[in-house]
Amino acid sequence: MSETVGVSLLGAGNIGAGVIAALSAGASRYAARVGRPIEVRRVLVRDTARVRAGLAPHQIVGRLEDVLGDPGTQIVIEIMGGEHPAREAIEAALRSGRHVVTANKEVMAKAGGELLQIAADHGVRLLYEASVGGGIPVIGPLSRDLLANEVSAITAIINGTTNYMLTAMTQQGADYADVLAEAQRLGYAEPDPTADVEGIDAAYKIAVLCGLAFNVEIRPDEVARQGITSITARDIAYAERLGYVIKLLASARLISGAVAATVQPTLVGANEPLAKVDGVLNAVQFEGDLVGRVLFEGPGAGPGPTSSSILADVLDVAQDVVTGRRPLAFVPRRRLRVALPAEHEARYYLRIAVQDQPGVLARIAAVLGEQQISIASVIQFDRATADGTAELVFTTHQASGGALQTAVAAIRAMDVVREVGNVLPMAG
Ligand code: NAP
Ligand code: HSE
């Protein structure tokens, strides 16, 4: 019997360096908890010549075979990121009988069901706590603590970059472009921020959560997605005057046999707990039939928080290695119909620039009325501009997405309408 539990890493970048440092700092505690020391065996990187803190040259390798050919490796931690070759590496590790811990939301969103089935077929575990919400426990609670519940809804802020940017726009009254430049300067936003600001990262994460919460397979490209690039300082200011803040919410719920999943900038009531989740923090709220509403909040990224989740999975599976415990059988996921945005229902905020002349408001109200959309409020916050443009802000009662799409198309075509600005859902 081996004297240690052997762990190898695929990747030693931002997160990998944090994992290596934490494994070293917590070595005696982890050994006591698992019953054997955790030993770092091999670390796969692209640049094998670079000196890496906490690693000896013989531990650094450049080929996956050097990891999988090591008989002392029982657990593989995948933290290289991206879809390929991470997906193939995870699959090869599982097929070779290794347990795998991953932080990779893209792979878990696109191929999670398939990989979990491969893990079950090979009697090993695939754990992915760090793939959603960084250091916040969400996968663990969904897999265990909330298991007795019928989860009906997930509402989450699961992208720290966009939450930082929207918070800065709210607190400083700054415009999108200025805030993005500042976020890039501080290292919160990537040089290419597309995955974050277009909601792609959040779509991966909500797809992963749907798999666990509803046992439903949903592809990330089936998530109705709108990023934050069109949000202006004016939208933020109008929301504030209405008693709301704008957050990029990732949401999912089951509606009459279909799953509706969205990533959208949303007006959240200023007194709602999610409205107070600011900066780079993340939060995930579940609604269950037994527990009611529970909210998990904390740091959604960074080496410390992400290592916390990765190492929790490593310690959990290391205990299996020591005790010989077998993993539970994986229950294959259902394929449910994905609800179209037209089937979603919400209250809505509409910002519309019009010619400042009598009768315009009545004509827009009539279009909304024809679609059975009930207006909750209409406000012209500021005076018309010198060129005679007035900006109207409508809020509606609960309305169908399809009716709203039809009404917005008709409003956009009106001769007195200069621009239909943002149309955003409202929550709380
Ligand atoms: P990173 O800094 O870019 O590090 C990637 C590491 O993987 C590097 O060590 C790189 O090697 C290695 N690598 C990449 N492609 C490789 C290949 N084809 N062959 C061999 N090695 C390869 O990424 P990160 O920020 O640590 O993120 C890692 C994972 O954690 C991603 O899935 C990410 O989504 C997830 N995650 C990150 C955060 C966060 O806060 N950053 C939070 C939660 C989850 P070199 O060092 O030689 O370039
Ligand atoms: N780019 C992500 C975010 C962190 O901004 O939340 C990694 O999941």
Side-chain angles (χ1 to χ4, degrees):
M1 198 196 2
S2 169
E3 298 294 308
T4 62
V5 176
V7 170
S8 287
L9 282 71
L10 312 183
N14 188 21
I15 301 304
V19 167
I20 291 160
L23 274 172
S24 167
S28 55
R29 240 174 335 116
Y30 301 153
R33 188 161 285 274
V34 170
R36 278 185 226 164
I38 308 275
E39 179 190 7
V40 176
R41 303 277 309 176
R42 305 273 186 274
V43 178
L44 176 73
V45 292
R46 273 179 301 220
D47 179 0
T48 53
R50 216 167 85 209
V51 174
R52 318 252 172 181
L55 294 178
H58 74 270
Q59 292 173 297
I60 299 171
V61 299
R63 300 179 321 144
L64 181 63
E65 303 85 83
D66 296 329
V67 173
L68 301 186
D70 169 38
T73 295
Q74 289 139 322
I75 303 171
V76 169
I77 306 175
E78 185 280 306
I79 33 179
M80 60 209 284
E83 185 180 7
H84 304 293
R87 177 177 170 165
E88 292 75 15
I90 293 172
E91 182 171 343
L94 295 171
R95 289 190 187 280
S96 76
R98 271 47 176 256
H99 303 284
V100 174
V101 171
T102 181
N104 196 321
K105 63 238 159 182
E106 183 172 0
V107 168
M108 289 311 294
K110 291 179 175 171
E114 197 183 311
L115 291 170
L116 287 162
Q117 186 65 65
I118 293 170
D121 293 345
H122 289 78
V124 290
R125 294 176 73 193
L126 169 60
L127 298 176
Y128 51 102
E129 180 63 67
S131 64
V132 181
I136 313 174
V138 281
I139 305 291
L142 268 182
S143 315
R144 206 196 82 90
D145 311 280
L146 296 172
L147 210 50
N149 285 264
E150 177 99 65
V151 176
S152 56
I154 312 167
T155 315
I157 295 170
I158 38 181
N159 184 267
T161 305
T162 47
N163 203 44
Y164 169 84
M165 291 174 61
L166 290 172
T167 303
M169 288 173 79
T170 303
Q171 293 176 350
Q172 299 160 17
D175 256 318
Y176 172 85
D178 296 337
V179 165
L180 174 60
E182 177 71 352
Q184 285 172 319
R185 198 182 61 74
L186 293 170
Y188 292 138
E190 304 275 343
D192 176 0
T194 312
D196 292 320
V197 299
E198 295 292 358
I200 298 167
D201 175 82
Y204 291 148
K205 292 169 179 168
I206 196 73
V208 171
L209 292 180
C210 282
L212 265 177
F214 309 133
N215 194 34
V216 163
E217 192 86 56
I218 175 167
R219 294 192 317 269
D221 61 8
E222 292 174 315
V223 176
R225 175 172 60 76
Q226 181 190 346
I228 66 163
T229 52
S230 68
I231 301 298
T232 64
R234 287 208 313 289
D235 290 310
I236 302 258
Y238 292 153
E240 191 179 359
R241 291 196 236 177
L242 291 164
Y244 291 79
V245 290
I246 298 182
K247 295 286 182 190
L248 184 66
L249 288 193
S251 313
R253 60 175 63 243
L254 294 179
I255 46 169
S256 40
V259 56
T262 57
V263 172
Q264 269 178 308
T266 304
L267 275 76
V268 180
N271 291 325
E272 290 290 312
L274 284 172
K276 298 173 181 133
V277 177
D278 283 336
V280 290
L281 288 181
N282 282 198
V284 184
Q285 180 178 286
F286 299 109
E287 285 169 44
D289 59 343
L290 299 175
V291 73
R293 199 179 265 192
V294 281
L295 179 73
F296 298 83
E297 179 186 343
T306 309
S307 297
S308 165
S309 290
I310 290 170
L311 291 180
D313 282 347
V314 168
L315 296 177
D316 183 2
V317 82
Q319 287 170 343
D320 291 359
V321 170
V322 170
T323 60
R325 193 171 63 194
R326 303 286 295 173
L328 291 175
F330 170 66
V331 182
R333 289 177 178 163
R334 299 178 284 168
R335 246 334 272 183
L336 283 189
R337 193 175 66 79
V338 178
L340 296 170
E343 295 172 75
H344 299 185
E345 288 220 340
R347 295 182 294 120
Y348 289 96
Y349 154 101
L350 295 88
R351 172 166 62 81
I352 305 173
V354 297
Q355 282 173 32
D356 190 21
Q357 65 186 53
V360 172
L361 181 56
R363 284 177 63 192
I364 294 175
V367 172
L368 292 169
E370 278 160 26
Q371 293 302 320
Q372 305 302 315
I373 297 169
S374 170
I375 297 169
S377 70
V378 55
I379 304 174
Q380 181 180 339
F381 285 109
D382 301 313
R383 301 162 73 131
T385 56
D387 72 347
T389 303
E391 196 150 54
L392 300 174
V393 174
F394 291 80
T395 66
T396 76
H397 291 294
Q398 197 78 0
S400 104
L404 188 83
Q405 283 170 6
T406 307
V408 166
I411 292 168
R412 193 170 274 130
M414 290 167 65
D415 54 355
V416 290
V417 169
R418 296 203 167 143
E419 186 203 9
V420 177
N422 270 310
V423 178
L424 304 173
M426 303 173 75

